[in-house]
């Protein structure tokens, strides 16, 4: 069909336009600095694999269950994210004038997702093959091919589920949600009316702050509640504050990452308003921060009740939660229109800083803080000057 490659073309044009809009100095910094960092990371991983090669070759459970499960989960996560990206382009507002049915838009998104899965599968195959070659695992190319197939299986399953669940956004969004009976829907008016009003609702795409209840929202609330209750029960049963405190820290950070949206910072409407970057940034981070702290309080209270003498543990967890939330808010403000890229970059930076901390100590955190300050400076300049 003539429109099948439209979504793929849109994504390619957006990438090309983004690269052309960047200054040559920024491109040089990204290519040179990112390339050097990538080479260093690869060399570090190779050295670590060689040091543990004998143990890794003999770990049967790792090759029989651990690696396949990890590849399936990685493929599923990537498939869901890529399918969501493609669907957002297929149902873009400027394409609504085209006489395309729901099935045609799904097919456009499926073609783009399939095309994007090929380079990702190749990267996984090459990475696993090189890893097997480094540790001396026999039949390294075969393992790489199997890894690509497992990754593709998870990717395809998640992408198909995401594409099949897509609603006809062209028709459903044409109705005015604000005109529906509003008294029956929960509202964020008590939390989102301070100046500038309804900014968090704008970031979440909620008309007049009215929350759209869905099975995903309810399922996420139930899942996080169960996680908090289970972690608190474990701490109370063993009189140990560590499980609940760590669960509160990890869960609170995850809640903040899932709920933080900073794409309004790139809107000309907000940038031309008499509103500074710091105030807009704090305003967008306030509601996700409230959700994060609300989740943290239950495990933290259980940790304090389980081991009152270890009151410093939940207190330190709360401090690190605020620090990590603030760091991710900077990443999300820099990658304002790409929350998936922001989350991936943030988690990669945290993982690498944690790994280097084992070798060089806490001085590595200075480098991470420097990265956060640099991203803050770049996000502020982009907000002011475009």
């Amino acid at each position: 069909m003539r429109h099948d490659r439209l979504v793929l073309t849109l994504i390619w044009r957006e990438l090309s336009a983004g690269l052309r809009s960047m200054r040559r100095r920024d491109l040089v910094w990204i290519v040179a600095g990112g390339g050097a960092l990538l080479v260093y990371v690869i060399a570090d991983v190779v050295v670590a694999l060689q040091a543990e090669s004998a143990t890794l070759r003999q770990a049967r459970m790792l090759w029989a269950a651990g690696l396949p499960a990890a590849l399936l989960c990685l493929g599923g996560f990537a498939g869901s994210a890529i399918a969501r990206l493609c669907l957002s382009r297929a149902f873009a507002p400027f394409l609504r004038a085209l006489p395309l049915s729901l099935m045609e838009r799904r097919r456009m998104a499926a073609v783009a997702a399939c095309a994007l899965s090929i380079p990702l599968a190749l990267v996984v195959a090459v990475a696993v093959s090189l890893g097997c070659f480094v540790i001396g695992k026999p039949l390294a190319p075969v393992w790489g091919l199997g890894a690509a197939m497992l990754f593709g299986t998870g990717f395809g399953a998640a992408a198909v589920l995401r594409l099949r669940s897509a609603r006809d956004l062209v028709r459903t969004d044409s109705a005015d949600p604000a005109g529906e009976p509003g008294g029956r829907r929960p509202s964020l008016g008590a939390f989102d009316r301070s100046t500038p009003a309804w900014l968090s609702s704008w970031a979440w795409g909620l008309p007049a702050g009215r929350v759209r209840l869905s099975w995903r929202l309810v399922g996420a609330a139930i899942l996080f509640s169960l996680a908090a209750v289970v972690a608190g029960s474990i701490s109370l049963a063993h009189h140990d504050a560590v499980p609940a405190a760590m669960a509160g820290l990890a869960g609170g950070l995850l809640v903040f990452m899932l709920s933080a949206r900073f794409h309004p910072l790139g809107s000309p409407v907000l940038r031309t308003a008499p509103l500074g970057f710091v105030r807009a940034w704090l305003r967008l981070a306030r509601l996700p921060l409230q959700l994060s702290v609300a989740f943290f309080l239950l495990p933290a209270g259980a940790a304090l009740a389980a081991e009152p003498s270890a009151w410093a543990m939940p207190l330190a967890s709360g401090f690190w939660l605020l620090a990590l939330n603030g760091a991710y808010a900077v990443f999300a403000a820099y990658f304002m229109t790409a929350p998936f890229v922001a989350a991936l970059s943030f988690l990669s930076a945290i993982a690498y800083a944690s790994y280097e901390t084992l070798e060089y100590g806490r001085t590595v955190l200075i480098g991470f803080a420097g990265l956060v300050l640099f991203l803050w400076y770049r996000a502020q300049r982009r907000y002011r000057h475009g």
Side-chain angles (χ1 to χ4, degrees):
M1 302 295 290
R2 60 176 182 172
H3 295 298
D4 283 354
R5 294 187 297 175
L6 181 57
V7 170
L8 188 61
T9 302
L10 287 175
I11 294 175
W12 171 251
R13 294 290 177 85
E14 289 180 13
L15 178 61
S16 302
L19 292 176
R20 287 195 301 268
S21 65
M22 297 180 65
R23 294 181 298 180
R24 294 182 179 179
R25 183 177 63 183
D26 294 336
L27 288 175
V28 171
W29 271 107
I30 292 174
V31 174
L37 181 61
L38 181 62
V39 170
Y40 176 73
V41 171
I42 292 176
D44 208 1
V45 171
V46 168
V47 172
L49 289 176
Q50 289 177 342
E52 302 292 336
S53 58
T55 303
L56 291 175
R57 285 195 305 267
Q58 298 174 1
R60 295 182 179 179
M61 288 301 299
L62 172 66
W63 301 99
L67 183 61
L71 290 170
L72 286 173
C73 292
L74 179 63
F77 182 74
S80 179
I82 294 296
R84 182 177 182 180
L85 171 68
C86 297
L87 284 172
S88 67
R89 301 306 184 271
F91 291 98
F94 59 87
L95 294 182
R96 295 182 180 180
L98 295 178
L100 297 174
S101 65
L102 174 61
M103 188 62 64
E104 289 173 324
R105 294 177 188 271
R106 283 178 176 173
R107 187 168 59 244
M108 288 161 46
V111 170
C114 183
L116 294 176
S117 68
I118 295 176
L120 295 178
L122 289 177
V123 170
V124 171
V126 171
V128 174
S129 298
L130 290 178
C132 293
F133 177 77
V134 168
I135 66 175
K137 185 75 173 177
L139 303 175
V142 177
W143 281 102
L145 179 60
M149 294 177 62
L150 288 171
F151 176 84
T153 301
F155 186 100
V160 167
L161 289 176
R162 171 72 72 172
L163 292 172
R164 287 176 63 88
S165 64
R167 298 178 294 110
D168 194 347
L169 302 181
V170 175
R171 269 184 268 176
T172 55
D173 287 356
S174 60
D176 183 12
E180 298 176 3
R184 301 177 183 178
R185 289 187 174 185
S187 175
L188 299 176
F191 307 96
D192 201 24
R193 285 184 178 174
S194 59
T195 305
W198 307 116
L199 188 56
S200 295
S201 300
W202 177 17
W204 287 352
L206 302 178
R210 301 199 180 279
V211 180
R212 296 170 179 155
L213 296 179
S214 63
W215 65 269
R216 293 178 183 174
L217 181 61
V218 175
I222 294 175
L223 181 62
F224 280 105
S225 300
L226 287 177
V229 170
V230 169
S233 301
I234 293 175
S235 290
L236 291 173
H238 295 277
H239 301 286
D240 187 4
V242 174
M246 292 297 101
L249 173 60
L253 178 61
L254 184 58
V255 169
F256 185 86
M257 293 176 65
L258 291 175
S259 58
R261 293 293 182 269
F262 286 82
H263 61 84
L265 293 177
S267 172
V269 176
L270 188 62
R271 288 168 49 204
T272 54
L275 183 67
F277 173 77
V278 176
R279 187 174 181 180
W281 180 79
L282 290 173
R283 186 68 177 81
L284 289 170
R286 189 177 70 174
L287 194 54
L289 183 61
Q290 291 176 356
L291 294 175
S292 175
V293 173
F295 173 85
F296 173 78
L297 289 178
L298 179 59
L304 187 61
E307 194 176 0
S309 60
W311 56 269
M313 174 66 68
L315 184 63
S317 298
F319 170 78
W320 280 109
L321 176 63
L322 295 178
L324 291 175
N325 285 345
Y328 176 72
V330 174
F331 274 79
Y334 179 77
F335 300 100
M336 58 183 69
T337 58
F340 174 74
V341 178
L344 184 61
S345 303
F346 174 74
L347 293 177
S348 300
I350 289 293
Y352 188 69
S354 301
Y355 173 74
E356 291 295 337
T357 301
L358 300 176
E359 184 175 356
Y360 298 106
R362 295 186 177 180
T363 54
V364 177
L365 297 178
I366 299 177
F368 179 76
L371 174 62
V372 173
L373 291 177
F374 173 75
L375 294 181
W376 170 269
Y377 171 74
R378 297 298 303 170
Q380 191 175 34
R381 283 185 58 86
R382 184 183 301 176
Y383 179 80
R384 291 177 177 176
H385 307 291

